[in-house]
Amino acid sequence: MEQEAYLNFLGTWNIAMWGLAALSVVVAIAIISGYFIRLSSLKSYKAKFDLASEREINRLLAANFSIAASIFFMANTASQSTVELSAFWFFIRIFISLCFGTLYGYVAYLIFNYYYPKRLHKKLNRLRYTPRTNAETGNKMKLLSEEEEDAYLDEGMQAEENVFSVDYDVWIDEATGDTTIEKYKGHLSALECDRCGFQTLKLAKEEIITPATSEMDGELEKEYKCTYCGRIRRKTVKIKANIDASAEGHELITDPLHQDSRISTVKVEIHDARGEVKTYEFQNLKQASSFLGEFDTAKLEQEETL
C-alpha cells in the first residue's frame, strides 16, 4: 500500500516537474525575446545604446537563471526506474539535480559578469559611433572631435567633460549645419551640484577633524567643489576605530575591488613617474573597476592641461 502511494506521488511529481521545466523555458524565451524586441523597436542608436548598457547583461543573466531552473526540474524526472525502488534515491536525485542547476547558473554568472562585458563594450561602441542620419534631410552626419565639439557645448557641458563625469558627442550635418548632441556617462565619478544641476561636484580636499583611535571612531571632513559654478559643499563622515586584523572577530579586506557590503566609498591614487599623485573618489566599486579597466594616461594628461 505504501509502495503504491509512493508510485502515485512520483507520477504527480513527474508531471509537475515537466510543467515547471516548460514554464521556466517559456519565461527564459519571454525575457530574451522581450528584450530584443524592445531593443529593435528603438529608432535611435542612442536609445539602443542606453537600453543595452543598462539592461542587456541583467536580462540575459535572468534568462539563463531561468534555464538553470528548467535543468533542475527536468533532471528531477531522470532515472525513474531507480527512484521507484526507494525514497532514498528520490532525495539523491533532488540533490544531483540541484547540483546541475546550480552549476549551470554559476557558469552563466561568470560568463555574463566577466566575459560578456567585453563583447557588450564592442557592441556599444558600434551603436555609439555608427554615423547618424539627419531625420529631416537624410544626410549623413559627422562626429566632431573633442576640440571641434566645444563650440557647440555650453559652459556647463564643457565643465562636465573637464571632470570626466559626462562625455558628450556632437554630430553635425555639414550641409545644413544641424547638430545633434548625445550625452554619455564619463570615466570618473562626479556628484550633481545642487546649485547649477551639472555633474561637476568633485572632492577638492579632506581633513581629519578627530583621529580614530583603537577605542573611538574619528571624524573626516570632505570638501566638494563645483568646477562650473564654484559651489562648495562640506560633508563629515566617520572614520572607523583602528582595528587589529589579528583580533578575534575582525579581518582586513584582502581584495578591495571585490563586491563587499562593508565598502561604501573607493579612493584611487595614481602615482606617475614624476612623483605626482592624482586622487579620484568613486561612489561605488563598479565605478572604480570601470575606471581602472578603461584608464587612459593620455586622457589624464589632457585633464591636467584643462
Side-chain angles (χ1 to χ4, degrees):
M1 193 68 179
E2 291 182 1
Q3 181 66 14
E4 183 179 351
Y6 175 60
L7 293 178
N8 290 335
F9 165 75
L10 288 180
T12 304
W13 174 270
N14 284 349
I15 294 174
M17 290 298 102
W18 280 114
L20 290 172
L23 178 61
S24 297
V25 172
V26 170
V27 169
I29 293 174
I31 292 174
I32 294 176
S33 60
Y35 168 74
F36 284 106
I37 288 174
R38 183 182 176 189
L39 184 66
S40 61
S41 68
L42 298 174
K43 295 181 179 180
S44 72
Y45 288 111
K46 178 61 167 65
K48 291 177 185 288
F49 179 98
D50 290 340
L51 180 63
S53 62
E54 294 175 5
R55 301 289 179 84
E56 183 156 315
I57 288 180
N58 289 337
R59 290 292 184 269
L60 295 181
L61 189 55
N64 276 273
F65 282 161
S66 188
I67 293 174
S70 179
I71 291 174
F72 168 76
F73 295 134
M74 286 189 292
N76 265 295
T77 64
S79 303
Q80 184 68 10
S81 58
T82 301
V83 173
E84 289 176 353
L85 298 177
S86 169
F88 170 78
W89 293 108
F90 173 78
F91 290 107
I92 292 296
R93 185 175 66 179
I94 290 179
F95 175 74
I96 294 175
S97 301
L98 183 62
C99 290
F100 282 138
T102 302
L103 178 62
Y104 181 93
Y106 181 65
V107 171
Y109 172 81
L110 294 178
I111 290 174
F112 286 101
N113 277 276
Y114 298 100
Y115 166 75
Y116 194 78
K118 295 180 180 178
R119 182 176 177 181
L120 178 61
H121 182 68
K122 294 180 180 179
K123 177 179 180 178
L124 294 176
N125 278 342
R126 287 197 301 271
L127 291 173
R128 180 171 178 177
Y129 298 115
T130 297
R132 306 306 194 238
T133 302
N134 190 329
E136 296 183 1
T137 64
N139 296 331
K140 291 291 184 181
M141 305 183 77
K142 173 189 174 183
L143 177 63
L144 299 183
S145 66
E146 291 290 333
E147 295 76 17
E148 295 172 326
E149 69 183 18
D150 286 346
Y152 298 89
L153 302 179
D154 61 36
E155 292 182 359
M157 292 176 176
Q158 292 182 40
E160 287 180 309
E161 283 208 324
N162 289 345
V163 297
F164 297 90
S165 64
V166 173
D167 196 12
Y168 288 98
D169 285 351
V170 179
W171 295 86
I172 185 170
D173 182 343
E174 294 182 291
T176 64
D178 293 341
T179 57
T180 298
I181 299 177
E182 297 177 350
K183 182 178 180 178
Y184 297 90
K185 291 182 179 179
H187 293 280
L188 302 182
S189 170
L191 303 177
E192 181 177 319
C193 178
D194 55 352
R195 176 187 291 172
C196 66
F198 291 108
Q199 288 180 273
T200 48
L201 197 66
K202 289 190 65 179
L203 180 67
K205 66 177 182 179
E206 53 187 15
E207 180 181 356
I208 296 177
I209 301 174
T210 306
T213 66
S214 59
E215 299 177 351
M216 295 181 60
D217 293 344
E219 283 188 335
L220 175 70
E221 183 181 74
K222 296 186 176 184
E223 182 177 290
Y224 295 86
K225 183 176 182 180
C226 177
T227 58
Y228 175 60
C229 70
R231 161 79 162 157
I232 294 178
R233 197 167 114 196
R234 294 179 176 85
K235 177 182 178 182
T236 302
V237 297
K238 288 186 177 181
I239 304 175
K240 291 295 183 181
N242 297 325
I243 298 174
D244 183 358
S246 62
E248 185 177 354
H250 299 298
E251 61 174 339
L252 294 176
I253 300 173
T254 56
D255 183 4
L257 289 184
H258 180 74
Q259 294 294 342
D260 193 305
S261 60
R262 296 170 292 176
I263 300 175
S264 59
T265 303
V266 178
K267 182 186 291 184
V268 176
E269 288 188 357
I270 305 296
H271 297 253
D272 64 21
R274 294 168 295 182
E276 297 182 2
V277 179
K278 297 286 291 183
T279 302
Y280 302 97
E281 186 174 278
F282 301 90
Q283 300 174 55
N284 54 56
L285 290 163
K286 185 176 181 180
Q287 291 178 346
S289 298
S290 176
F291 167 68
L292 292 174
E294 301 177 10
F295 178 71
D296 186 347
T297 304
K299 201 156 190 176
L300 181 62
E301 296 276 347
Q302 179 185 359
E303 179 194 14
E304 293 176 346
T305 61
L306 293 175

